[in-house]
Amino acid sequence: MIQPTEKNDDNDDIVQWVRNGIAVRVFGEAADASNSVAAEIASLIRQRADDGEQCILGLATGSTPVRVYRELIRLHREENLSMKNVVTFNLDEYFPMKPNAAQSYVRFMNEQLFDHVDISPDNIHIPDGTVTPDRVTEYCQQYEDAIDTAGGIDLQLLGIGRTGHVGFNEPGSEQASTTRLVRLCEITRTDAAKDFGGLEKTPQLAITMGVGTILRSRRIRLLAFGEHKSAIVERSVQGAISDSVPATYLHDHGNVEFVLDSAAASKLNPSTADVSH
Ligand code: PGA
């Protein structure tokens, strides 16, 4: 297991290094990692507000980013963080999916973040799981266009699936892929099955931003916590770029950080780093 060895300014225990163009930041605890990313997001939102500009955030669902959202809510309540100038684009949604269903990512985002901050509902974008199949291609192009019209994503938050997916870009996804309807891998469906009351009730399909969509973001922050993510984190950071692990497409983007707890980082080998900090 990698032991945190350095201290940063806030006294969080972290180690960090760069491999394959990915800055790896390892915190002792997931809570400290989450607070660090939330602080970066808050700082970006405030900077944009001071400049009279909007801040465009790419957001993720799943268990991993929940603590980031909790900290943003705390900053809103206790430290005057306004999200009035924030525009959001979520990565993905199951298909088909009604927005009020228990497993919908619309519901997730409302409950975990949007209902608790002052973001304008007009500024929220989440792929629509109710689009009719004959309109999906057109809808996905509109989602891409909306991101471009907003000025592109300033900071994209990502989790990572055990398949190496980012968003729902499963193995086999192309580097230049854009928002589209995709088929979910069995591993991904198995991991989601508990939310749907069994594998047979778990959707086969989803709408996801593409790898190319994600790579157009100006900053990318991928969070991974827990021992069960350690093998895919190791392949994503230290493996060669390959469509069999879509997260490897993040190499050499230029502004990607993997923000990990020590369990998720436990299979990484910092001595192979390109650059140490
Ligand atoms: P998780 O999902 O945060 O629930 O582990 C991550 C993902 O599948 O991208």
Side-chain angles (χ1 to χ4, degrees):
M1 168 141 339
I2 294 171
Q3 294 301 327
T5 55
E6 297 176 12
K7 297 275 186 187
N8 73 356
D9 294 345
D10 298 329
N11 257 347
D12 298 319
D13 290 342
I14 63 163
V15 274
Q16 56 184 13
W17 69 97
V18 177
R19 175 72 196 273
N20 285 327
I22 292 179
V24 180
R25 303 180 68 210
V26 185
F27 288 76
E29 301 293 333
D32 293 330
S34 302
N35 290 348
S36 163
V37 171
E40 181 180 11
I41 293 172
S43 157
L44 190 59
I45 293 171
R46 288 188 164 120
Q47 196 183 311
R48 287 292 145 81
D50 288 348
D51 294 343
E53 289 177 12
Q54 291 185 317
C55 180
I56 318 301
L57 298 178
L59 299 181
T61 49
S63 56
T64 306
V66 165
R67 273 173 283 214
V68 174
Y69 300 147
R70 204 178 295 157
E71 174 64 2
L72 287 173
I73 294 166
R74 191 196 67 77
L75 290 168
H76 171 67
R77 288 186 178 152
E78 298 177 15
E79 299 189 24
N80 267 339
L81 175 70
S82 172
M83 294 186 73
K84 283 205 164 77
N85 67 324
V86 173
V87 177
T88 62
F89 289 91
N90 263 76
L91 282 167
D92 46 24
E93 176 61 288
Y94 293 108
F95 186 86
M97 179 56 67
K98 294 201 168 66
N100 58 356
Q103 307 86 353
S104 109
Y105 286 163
V106 171
R107 184 165 177 160
F108 176 97
M109 288 307 304
N110 287 339
E111 290 179 355
Q112 299 297 329
L113 180 62
F114 297 146
D115 285 350
H116 311 286
V117 294
D118 59 349
I119 189 168
S120 160
D122 295 341
N123 289 352
I124 295 169
H125 305 83
I126 300 177
D128 183 355
T130 70
V131 172
T132 54
D134 59 313
R135 279 203 56 241
V136 169
T137 306
E138 179 195 354
Y139 174 79
C140 290
Q141 185 56 51
Q142 287 167 359
Y143 203 74
E144 290 283 318
D145 294 346
I147 294 171
D148 289 343
T149 303
I153 291 171
D154 291 308
L155 186 150
Q156 175 69 56
L157 205 55
L158 295 176
I160 184 168
R162 288 191 300 135
T163 60
H165 71 207
V166 285
F168 276 135
N169 293 284
E170 300 284 23
S173 296
E174 290 179 15
Q175 181 153 17
S177 54
T178 54
T179 304
R180 69 204 187 287
L181 190 64
V182 294
R183 187 164 292 280
L184 299 172
C185 280
E186 286 309 292
I187 293 177
T188 298
R189 292 182 63 238
T190 304
D191 285 348
K194 61 180 182 320
D195 298 331
F196 287 91
L199 189 59
E200 66 291 346
K201 294 186 199 145
T202 305
Q204 309 264 359
L205 304 175
I207 295 176
T208 184
M209 276 187 202
V211 176
T213 323
I214 292 167
L215 290 174
R216 288 205 307 278
S217 309
R218 288 182 273 279
R219 300 184 202 184
I220 298 172
R221 301 293 178 257
L222 184 148
L223 282 80
F225 304 138
E227 215 282 324
H228 63 298
K229 297 289 175 76
S230 61
I232 197 63
V233 164
E234 188 275 329
R235 291 180 69 195
S236 302
V237 174
Q238 295 177 186
I241 296 175
S242 159
D243 71 354
S244 60
V245 181
T248 59
Y249 287 132
L250 302 174
H251 295 186
D252 304 323
H253 165 276
N255 196 334
V256 178
E257 290 180 9
F258 275 38
V259 184
L260 311 172
D261 66 0
S262 50
S266 59
K267 292 192 169 62
L268 290 173
N269 182 0
S271 67
T272 65
D274 308 328
V275 185
S276 294
H277 288 266

